Amino acid sequence: MPNPPDCEWLASLPLVLAGPILQRVETETVTVWVALKQSCRVMLTIYSTADRGQTIGEPLFRNSQQTVALGQSLHVVAVSAIAPAGRPLTSDALYAYDLSFHETYSLAVHTLPQGLVAADRPAINLSYFDHPLPTFALPPQDVADLRLVHGSCRKPGGEGFDALPVLDSLIADAADQPCHRPHQLLLTGDQIYADDVADPLLWVATRLGDALLGWEEQLPIGLDRLGQMIYQTPRSLPPGERSTVATDQAGLTAGLPRQPKKSNSHLFGLGEFYAAYLLGWSPACWPTLPPGRILYQEPKLIRQWDADVRKLRQFIHTLGKVQRSLANIPVYTIFDDHDVSDDWNLNRAWCLRVLGRPLGQRIVQNALLAYATFQAWGNTPEQFTAGQPGGALLAAAQDWAASAGSNVQAYGAVGRYVGMPATDAQTRQPKFVRCGQTLVLDRHPDALTWHYTIRSPCHEIILLDTRTWRGYPADQPPPAPPMLLCPEAYEQQLGQTLQPDSAASGDSILSPRLTFVVAPTNVFGLNVIDWVHEIQLRRRRVFASDVGDAWNIHSPALAQLLQYLFDRRQQVVVLSGDIHYSAAVRLTYQSGSSPPAVLVQLTASAFKNEETLTRLIHTRLKSWLLPERVRRWRGWRQPPDMVELPRKGDRATPPDWRCALEWIPRQPVCYPSFSKPNDWLPLPERRNELLRSRWYQPLLFWLSRWFQSGREVVGLNNIALVQFRAASRDRALSVVQDVYWFSPWRPIQLVYSRYEGEIKPNSAQLEPLDKAKGG
């Protein structure tokens, strides 16, 4: 049970621990996710508005839903309201919503503002208007009016300012304009970091997790000399001291090679994973962080703790803006590795190493249960109704919590529904099944589906699950790079989804809709990264640099991806993250005598995880030393494969298709007119310090605006706004990605870099392939 100080802390928290987060929004349904301290029936009501959102109109429809008890003091729900038949929501209007909370064990009813209030905490305002309600707008009819925001990789203890709060400014700037405010937010991976956790964050997460659960989880650490399982609680594995257990007992690879700091405070317990989400989305659950001298005596440890606390205090300082923005825009997410652990399912070697150990299995299952209840429920609410796998998972999660972690049947059911692979009884290793020439982790047929699609009149977005449906080469050693989608997954996630659209209009520029594909790991990246991956693969140091997460490290898989896309669509926009920089590229593809097709990849990363290397490639130094050049490939259909020029193909047959990749240049830095981050960004005690730094910043050459103007990428913490406009000629559409970041030459100045390119093939880049011999 929680100790008395934790009980007092829990009692001081507001009813609403995190949220509300607006999630899946369609013309007929609206889903809102919220985490509460008490069991409630939550009522969601959708309203019309007038006066450009200033006035709340009549209630349009409502629905209520009971929360799910994930712990004694943690109750979560994604409540969906359905519009009456024949009265759908429209794309040219602003809507508002309200929540009310009806306590299960009393007659008390709380309004949304009441649920957000706590005695010793500042008031939370979720509205951009004079009224207190959050608002939203549906995607428009015309793709030229569509506004998407995307980003990835948000580590609370990472370097630099958090870029996600910039979303609040983007919404505020056009909150009263349904066709111009951002319509959807796509979080493309690493919403939390289970590895590389700052020690103070784990210190809070462990205590908060235990307090919310109301019990301490018994983690299976390993076997003693007599072959009996040893159990320890999360609190008995303190911050900064988990690396050995994470690496040797759980088999995790985050600390390899010689990087123990990245696993020193790895999340283990279910309560810790729940807490990581709450702490990343809301300021409500954060206590005052103690100074290092209270916990340590060694000066080095004190300094490191205090440095981490300063980063976290800055992160907490802007969480109110994050909470407001997530309440006012439909949010869609998909996981990547850090939501579970670095290198999650990277290759078959990782699966055998981690999923063959009790602690490794427990950590992965805890992470997936937290992802399912905190993210996937709102992404695909239809899966979490009664009689569906998600509904069964919620029931099992409640049983597991009610038993204080002792109900073996409930634990097994959780594993079944989140897709944990079956284990061989003799070897204790995870089971694989054959899928073409690859091996895929075995799972129960009732497991949740993580990939999904969202559609509007002007666009469709396919969010890929490239983590749990990997195809590991059956004829190669375990460290070999996998197909990020096995053959069966290509058909499930792309083949069945990219069907002809009966809603296509004959005069549409883009027929039928503009197709987006969210690929959490980059389809195309910097050439130097490909070189590093090839070198590390030959040295079998695959965990050091994520060899296996890049699509083009496995050329047959990349070839098959391109074929699946271009056999069904002529224009595709890929949204990606993962790589800790932002960029834009355009691929022109032609198969036989067919008209050429085009793929534009827009990358946005990281919200908060800039590093020394990304700061370097952000500058002109990268453009001088390692400029990106046009790359060209020839490809074959059966079996799928592709080779890059100037290398010649190994086949005697002529290629079936060819493609060329070019980088869309980063335009000169611009200053937005809508935001003054010096008013809200820095901690009060740091504001004067940062303002004073303006006097000497011009003397630091490497921080100057000129040197920071690299050609290809933005390597500082950033967030991207994507919009479209019709080009002046031949009715082609241009895509514009504005990447917002904080300038080094004026540290509290928000700037943006623009990437703009037409969504049409550049056939001129294919001409060298026609002239080249061989293949």
Side-chain angles (χ1 to χ4, degrees):
M1 295 294 291
N3 61 35
D6 291 343
C7 292
E8 294 172 7
W9 173 26
L10 191 61
S12 71
L13 299 180
L15 172 64
V16 176
L17 301 177
I21 297 178
L22 182 63
Q23 291 210 262
R24 190 157 190 136
V25 173
E26 298 172 299
T27 55
E28 292 85 15
T29 63
V30 177
T31 299
V32 177
W33 178 95
V34 66
L36 306 177
K37 187 172 67 173
Q38 298 179 28
S39 175
C40 291
R41 190 161 193 89
V42 179
M43 175 71 74
L44 169 63
T45 305
I46 309 302
Y47 292 91
S48 64
T49 70
D51 303 324
R52 299 181 68 176
Q54 292 287 354
T55 304
I56 300 298
E58 63 177 5
L60 301 176
F61 52 93
R62 59 167 54 96
N63 187 38
S64 66
Q65 196 163 336
Q66 181 65 41
T67 56
V68 171
L70 299 181
Q72 292 181 14
S73 300
L74 178 59
H75 304 267
V76 174
V77 68
V79 55
S80 297
I82 303 175
R87 297 175 60 187
L89 303 180
T90 62
S91 60
D92 56 352
L94 286 174
Y95 297 96
Y97 70 90
D98 196 7
L99 296 175
S100 60
F101 310 104
H102 304 248
E103 290 190 22
T104 304
Y105 303 110
S106 72
L107 298 178
V109 179
H110 307 273
T111 65
L112 179 56
Q114 290 171 341
L116 294 167
V117 171
D120 60 342
R121 299 173 187 271
I124 297 293
N125 175 27
L126 295 181
S127 177
Y128 293 96
F129 300 95
D130 292 337
H131 60 74
L133 299 186
T135 55
F136 63 92
L138 274 70
Q141 296 287 325
D142 188 344
V143 72
D145 293 327
L146 180 65
R147 306 288 186 271
L148 301 178
V149 179
H150 72 121
S152 65
C153 305
R154 186 165 174 256
K155 184 168 67 175
E159 296 292 335
F161 293 119
D162 183 12
L164 185 54
V166 175
L167 174 61
D168 185 67
S169 299
L170 294 172
I171 297 174
D173 184 53
D176 62 348
Q177 303 172 54
C179 286
H180 294 95
R181 66 184 277 168
H183 298 107
Q184 293 171 333
L185 170 65
L186 295 151
L187 301 179
T188 60
D190 300 339
Q191 280 67 261
I192 65 167
Y193 271 68
D195 58 286
D196 207 1
V197 178
D199 291 355
L201 175 53
L202 179 62
W203 183 86
V204 175
T206 302
R207 285 155 179 76
L208 176 62
D210 286 349
L212 295 175
L213 290 179
W215 46 276
E216 294 187 81
E217 184 176 0
Q218 300 296 313
L219 298 168
I221 299 301
L223 301 177
D224 63 16
R225 294 180 179 179
L226 300 178
Q228 300 297 312
M229 183 61 70
I230 302 171
Y231 292 92
Q232 287 186 255
T233 65
R235 196 170 296 209
S236 68
L237 297 164
E241 300 180 20
R242 294 189 174 187
S243 183
T244 300
V245 174
T247 304
D248 297 342
Q249 301 302 328
L252 301 173
T253 58
L256 298 178
R258 298 183 297 280
Q259 300 182 89
K261 184 180 182 299
K262 292 193 173 183
S263 57
N264 273 344
S265 293
H266 201 294
L267 303 182
F268 286 170
L270 180 60
E272 293 172 346
F273 278 97
Y274 289 156
Y277 283 107
L278 300 177
L279 297 170
W281 291 342
S282 167
C285 294
W286 279 98
T288 300
L289 295 169
R293 56 183 169 77
I294 301 296
L295 303 172
Y296 300 105
Q297 294 182 341
E298 186 179 337
K300 181 179 179 181
L301 295 177
I302 294 173
R303 287 194 299 271
Q304 182 59 56
W305 176 277
D306 290 343
D308 287 339
V309 166
R310 284 192 293 272
K311 294 176 186 176
L312 291 174
R313 289 187 63 239
Q314 173 60 56
F315 178 82
I316 299 165
H317 177 66
T318 55
L319 273 180
K321 296 178 76 65
V322 171
Q323 185 174 17
R324 180 167 76 158
S325 60
L326 297 183
N328 285 270
I329 183 172
V331 180
Y332 301 93
T333 72
I334 192 65
F335 48 47
D336 202 16
D337 57 341
H338 294 286
D339 294 290
V340 176
S341 181
D342 193 18
D343 303 325
W344 174 39
N345 288 356
L346 178 71
N347 50 35
R348 190 155 51 100
W350 192 95
C351 299
L352 294 170
R353 176 185 172 97
V354 176
L355 300 177
R357 309 185 192 205
L359 182 58
Q361 292 175 358
R362 175 67 64 90
I363 293 168
V364 173
Q365 180 162 317
N366 284 345
L368 287 175
L369 176 55
Y371 174 82
T373 50
F374 280 69
Q375 297 193 59
W377 190 354
N379 291 333
T380 55
E382 70 282 357
Q383 281 198 103
F384 288 80
T385 56
Q388 297 298 315
L393 172 65
L394 296 177
Q398 287 199 115
D399 291 343
W400 172 248
S403 72
S406 63
N407 187 329
V408 177
Q409 288 75 24
Y411 179 77
V414 169
R416 182 164 64 251
Y417 293 118
V418 299
M420 291 296 292
T423 302
D424 188 282
Q426 294 183 337
T427 65
R428 300 185 182 276
Q429 295 292 319
K431 289 183 179 180
F432 295 84
V433 294
R434 192 89 179 197
C435 182
Q437 301 300 312
T438 68
L439 298 174
V440 181
L441 285 169
D442 192 13
R443 77 202 73 197
H444 196 277
D446 290 339
L448 279 167
T449 298
W450 304 116
H451 66 273
Y452 60 102
T453 301
I454 51 181
R455 288 189 172 91
S456 83
C458 70
H459 77 311
E460 61 183 354
I461 307 178
I462 302 164
L463 294 97
L464 300 178
D465 167 12
T466 59
R467 283 287 161 189
T468 73
W469 280 102
R470 296 189 166 199
Y472 305 107
D475 58 349
Q476 296 183 36
M483 299 177 71
L484 298 192
L485 293 176
C486 69
E488 181 181 347
Y490 276 109
E491 185 58 31
Q492 290 177 342
Q493 300 189 36
L494 291 171
Q496 296 176 13
T497 304
L498 293 171
Q499 297 295 327
D501 195 328
S502 59
S505 59
D507 59 351
S508 175
I509 295 174
L510 299 167
S511 179
R513 300 173 169 102
L514 184 56
T515 297
F516 294 84
V517 175
V518 172
T521 55
N522 267 214
V523 179
F524 298 100
L526 295 173
N527 204 12
V528 66
I529 293 179
D530 292 345
W531 296 341
V532 170
H533 282 179
E534 293 288 354
I535 293 171
Q536 297 290 60
L537 180 60
R538 288 196 293 269
R539 299 170 63 185
R540 296 205 173 189
R541 294 186 61 183
V542 295
F543 299 122
S545 53
D546 295 339
V547 178
D549 274 350
W551 279 89
N552 55 346
I553 197 70
H554 194 297
S555 56
L558 178 58
Q560 191 160 353
L561 174 69
L562 297 179
Q563 289 170 196
Y564 260 90
L565 293 175
F566 291 125
D567 284 352
R568 295 160 176 84
R569 296 290 185 268
Q570 289 296 297
Q571 297 164 312
V572 178
V573 176
V574 172
L575 301 179
S576 191
D578 179 60
I579 205 67
H580 301 178
Y581 64 74
S582 291
V585 299
R586 177 171 59 183
L587 180 85
T588 300
Y589 173 101
Q590 186 168 31
S591 177
S593 59
S594 301
V598 63
L599 178 152
V600 175
Q601 176 183 275
L602 305 175
T603 304
S605 182
F607 282 133
K608 193 177 193 297
N609 199 11
E610 66 185 52
E611 302 162 309
T612 300
L613 181 58
T614 64
R615 293 186 187 120
L616 287 175
I617 64 174
H618 176 88
T619 67
R620 289 179 180 265
L621 190 65
K622 160 68 171 64
S623 305
W624 294 337
L625 299 180
L626 295 167
E628 297 298 319
R629 296 182 173 86
V630 177
R631 302 173 66 181
R632 298 176 176 88
W633 290 266
R634 293 179 182 271
W636 293 264
R637 288 184 170 274
Q638 291 298 332
D641 200 5
M642 57 195 293
V643 296
E644 185 175 1
L645 264 62
R647 175 187 162 197
K648 295 182 178 181
D650 297 327
R651 302 192 188 187
T653 57
D656 299 309
W657 53 267
R658 63 258 176 85
C659 64
L661 180 76
E662 58 187 319
W663 286 71
I664 299 174
R666 171 181 143 190
Q667 297 181 11
V669 166
C670 298
Y671 293 90
S673 59
F674 59 80
S675 179
K676 296 180 180 179
N678 55 302
D679 295 336
W680 56 264
L681 179 64
L683 286 163
E685 62 265 29
R686 287 204 65 202
R687 187 174 291 119
N688 289 336
E689 172 193 340
L690 291 169
L691 289 173
R692 284 195 301 270
S693 71
R694 293 185 179 185
W695 294 101
Y696 61 81
Q697 289 287 2
L699 302 177
L700 305 178
F701 160 76
W702 57 91
L703 297 181
S704 69
R705 175 177 172 176
W706 177 84
F707 188 68
Q708 293 290 320
S709 298
R711 177 174 172 78
E712 293 107 356
V713 307
V714 171
L716 306 182
N717 292 339
N718 64 81
I719 185 172
L721 172 67
V722 178
Q723 51 194 315
F724 304 87
R725 61 187 181 192
S728 58
R729 295 171 293 134
D730 60 28
R731 301 180 68 203
L733 199 70
S734 286
V735 59
V736 177
Q737 174 169 256
D738 289 334
V739 179
Y740 291 84
W741 46 285
F742 299 104
S743 71
W745 59 92
R746 296 180 66 183
I748 50 178
Q749 173 65 57
L750 183 67
V751 300
Y752 69 92
S753 296
R754 172 162 290 184
Y755 298 89
E756 181 172 3
E758 290 184 338
I759 311 178
K760 72 172 188 178
N762 185 359
S763 299
Q765 297 294 357
L766 296 175
E767 291 176 3
L769 287 162
D770 297 327
K771 299 175 183 177
K773 296 181 180 180

